Amino acid sequence: ISHLPPALRESLDSGWSARLVMLALLVDRNHPEQNSLLEKNLTEQEWDALKTIIPLVIETGRASRLPMVDLAAPSLKRLSDKQQLSFARLLRDVSKSDGVVTRFEWVLVSVIQKHLANNVLNKLSQKSNKMLHSITESVAVVLATLAYSGAETQEQAIGAFENGLEDVDFGSVDMPTLKACSIEALHGALQKLQSLRFTEKQKFLQGCESCVEHDGKVTVAEAETIRAIGDVLDCPIPMFA
């Protein structure tokens, strides 16, 4: 965080410009659909400011992405209900504008939505009384997604997956294929896991942490994904060091 450009730090202190920094984290300059969408939804002043912010964001590097979201959170929460809803919709639209939602786009939208104070953005809570063993398939999808995100080989992924299973007291469970661990599958699995009892959620998150720590190191992709998982389950966890 200390190495962020002063201009970027200053932008995160205002709700108006903090929105633009969050959009800059999603922008892919190789997709004209995004440019068209942003030009349509931003004022000329906002569009000009965004084009100035994008190079600053690119220079910061991947490890600074979620810390920037956390720095922006207080400013984003000060937006009016109408502004928060408008911003959340634009963020989702930008992430989907090229027809594919990437892992990081899902992470960013999930974490920002959790930060936003407007309850209108959050779905009604499900009754939280389920046990992990009642939704084994969903548990397997999330743990496998984490395992694949930090593994260089199939063997490493299997080891991480099995490490996570041990912490949730599961026996032998078939590991979903990489193809089965799409962003859509991950999102659907987490929707079901929201119905877990709080103690079961904590147990599950411990399994997630064991999964990513299996090889003794935590990649940026793993840290971002587990952070978003915790936020979606309403059990926020800090970023890994």
Side-chain angles (χ1 to χ4, degrees):
I1 294 300
S2 59
H3 67 276
L4 290 179
L8 198 53
R9 286 294 297 264
E10 184 177 345
S11 296
L12 293 169
D13 290 335
S14 160
W16 184 87
S17 53
R19 295 176 304 122
L20 302 179
V21 176
M22 299 301 98
L23 289 169
L25 288 169
L26 288 180
V27 168
D28 183 341
R29 291 183 291 186
N30 295 319
H31 287 287
E33 298 89 350
Q34 284 189 346
N35 287 341
S36 177
L37 178 65
L38 289 167
E39 284 189 89
K40 180 180 178 181
N41 286 274
L42 298 177
T43 65
E44 183 176 351
Q45 182 184 10
E46 289 171 332
W47 179 236
D48 288 341
L50 178 60
K51 287 186 287 187
T52 301
I53 290 171
I54 290 173
L56 297 176
V57 168
I58 292 174
E59 290 176 8
T60 61
R62 293 183 60 187
S64 298
R65 296 186 301 192
L66 280 193
M68 278 194 281
V69 176
D70 289 334
L71 287 175
S75 300
L76 296 174
K77 288 179 180 179
R78 289 195 294 268
L79 296 171
S80 68
D81 287 356
K82 183 177 179 181
Q83 289 172 324
Q84 287 191 31
L85 284 169
S86 177
F87 169 58
R89 290 192 188 103
L90 180 57
L91 203 66
R92 287 193 292 267
D93 289 345
V94 170
S95 70
K96 297 176 181 179
S97 60
D98 59 357
V100 178
V101 177
T102 67
R103 179 200 58 79
F104 177 68
E105 287 172 336
W106 173 80
V107 166
L108 185 67
V109 172
S110 297
V111 173
I112 290 178
Q113 180 160 317
K114 181 64 180 179
H115 273 311
L116 293 178
N118 190 342
N119 291 328
V120 176
L121 296 174
N122 301 313
K123 295 182 178 179
L124 292 175
S125 299
Q126 302 180 47
K127 189 173 182 181
S128 303
N129 61 3
K130 289 188 177 180
M131 304 294 287
L132 282 165
H133 285 82
S134 69
I135 41 180
T136 303
E137 184 177 343
S138 296
V139 171
V141 167
V142 178
L143 289 179
T145 300
L146 279 171
Y148 286 123
S149 69
E152 297 179 358
T153 66
Q154 180 69 18
E155 290 72 24
Q156 289 178 353
I158 292 172
F161 178 72
E162 292 179 345
N163 211 48
L165 287 179
E166 287 182 14
D167 266 27
V168 294
D169 296 328
F170 275 23
S172 178
V173 175
D174 290 335
M175 184 178 187
T177 64
L178 179 59
K179 186 176 181 180
C181 296
S182 64
I183 292 300
E184 292 76 14
L186 174 62
H187 183 73
L190 287 170
Q191 291 296 105
K192 294 179 181 178
L193 289 168
Q194 285 179 330
S195 63
L196 289 171
R197 294 179 180 177
F198 183 72
T199 53
E200 292 290 279
K201 289 180 181 179
Q202 290 179 309
K203 184 177 180 180
F204 173 67
L205 284 175
Q206 182 58 54
C208 289
E209 291 181 17
S210 295
C211 181
V212 301
E213 293 173 341
H214 169 68
D215 56 0
K217 59 183 180 181
V218 180
T219 67
V220 173
E222 288 173 320
E224 290 176 342
T225 305
I226 195 172
R227 164 66 187 279
I229 289 171
D231 280 358
V232 171
L233 296 181
D234 204 26
C235 292
I237 62 173
M239 288 292 289
F240 283 83

